[in-house]
Amino acid sequence: MTDKKDFSEKTVDPNPFIQFRNWYSEHLNSGITIPESVALGTASADGHVSVRTVLLKDFNDKSFVFFTNYKSRKGSQLLSNPRAAFLFYWPESGRQIRIEGITEKLTDKDSESYFKTRPKESQVSSWASEQSSVIPDRQYLENRYDFYINKYSEISVDKPQHWGGFSLIPDWFEFWQEGEFRLHDRLSYIKREDLWVMERLAP
């Protein structure tokens, strides 16, 4: 890991996507279990907030991608209020990254492309689980899984129309690094027109 003393306005990249890639690459190589996990915060149209952990599946110099059931709580919230936030917290390195922005649904073609890369059992689960809905018991879920695993036993699994991806397009980043005596370093990037402006925040 990079020496924590090296984290400053002089050493970070002026492009927050590159800075994210630098830290994320170190994290991926750290041996941590499920390094792609990230907390996702969403809110309903009337401001009811909820948070859960999802898996980051892709990112580039414009957005971050994750997948879900569009009928789930997070799916329905994002479809009514596209504002969302990510929180990556890595206690092993004393770092966290916060990202806020607007979400957009991926095209069905892009969702289909990723769906085909999933293990067949996971593809079937996307049919079996009516995510976030109330179900009577565990057996109900297992019965649905058995039904769909049999249905698709000899054919490829179709992607459900209610399943797909979202991209989070950031307009704000914060990179946080733990410091002694709670004097942490916090550098934020805010999008102003087409430029990223860096600011230091008090810990």
Side-chain angles (χ1 to χ4, degrees):
M1 288 293 183
T2 303
D3 188 335
K4 291 181 180 180
K5 293 180 181 179
D6 291 338
F7 180 60
S8 71
E9 294 88 337
K10 295 180 180 179
T11 59
V12 298
D13 198 281
N15 184 324
F17 289 97
I18 295 177
Q19 183 61 35
F20 175 87
R21 186 182 298 275
N22 292 341
W23 274 19
Y24 192 62
S25 295
E26 291 184 14
H27 180 65
L28 289 178
N29 295 323
S30 66
I32 302 301
T33 303
I34 316 181
E36 68 273 28
S37 63
V38 56
L40 168 67
T42 60
S44 62
D46 61 2
H48 191 96
V49 178
S50 60
V51 181
R52 80 289 290 157
T53 300
V54 298
L55 299 179
L56 178 68
K57 287 302 181 181
D58 194 16
F59 69 93
N60 51 40
D61 61 356
K62 294 182 179 179
S63 65
F64 298 81
V65 174
F66 60 96
F67 292 85
T68 189
N69 184 317
Y70 290 136
K71 295 182 179 180
S72 67
R73 188 178 189 185
K74 59 182 171 297
S76 61
Q77 286 187 336
L78 289 171
L79 292 174
S80 65
N81 179 359
R83 294 291 307 181
F86 273 165
L87 169 62
F88 296 88
Y89 176 48
W90 304 323
E92 299 81 8
S93 60
R95 289 173 171 173
Q96 70 178 20
I97 303 174
R98 295 167 59 199
I99 303 172
E100 298 177 2
I102 297 289
T103 56
E104 294 180 354
K105 283 180 67 175
L106 293 188
T107 65
D108 200 55
K109 179 180 178 181
D110 287 341
S111 292
E112 180 76 40
S113 294
Y114 172 70
F115 187 80
K116 290 179 179 178
T117 69
R118 305 181 84 202
K120 187 168 187 174
E121 294 78 6
S122 296
Q123 294 176 339
V124 169
S125 291
S126 66
W127 281 102
S129 175
E130 301 165 297
Q131 196 175 80
S132 299
S133 66
V134 176
I135 60 175
D137 50 35
R138 173 76 187 188
Q139 191 60 49
Y140 174 85
L141 179 63
E142 293 180 354
N143 288 345
R144 283 182 60 85
Y145 181 84
D146 290 343
F147 171 82
Y148 284 107
I149 200 72
N150 289 328
K151 177 180 179 179
Y152 291 107
S153 61
E154 297 182 2
I155 58 176
S156 59
V157 182
D158 301 315
K159 183 189 76 64
Q161 286 299 309
H162 60 258
W163 188 97
F166 283 99
S167 60
L168 173 62
I169 303 166
D171 52 34
W172 185 84
F173 287 78
E174 180 193 285
F175 294 84
W176 178 97
Q177 187 160 269
E178 184 180 13
E180 291 185 339
F181 313 117
R182 304 192 66 80
L183 297 178
H184 313 306
D185 288 302
R186 297 174 62 190
L187 297 179
S188 70
Y189 297 73
I190 186 169
K191 191 73 173 290
R192 291 179 178 157
E193 296 182 356
D194 293 327
L195 298 176
W196 287 102
V197 178
M198 187 189 305
E199 298 175 326
R200 176 174 284 269
L201 306 178

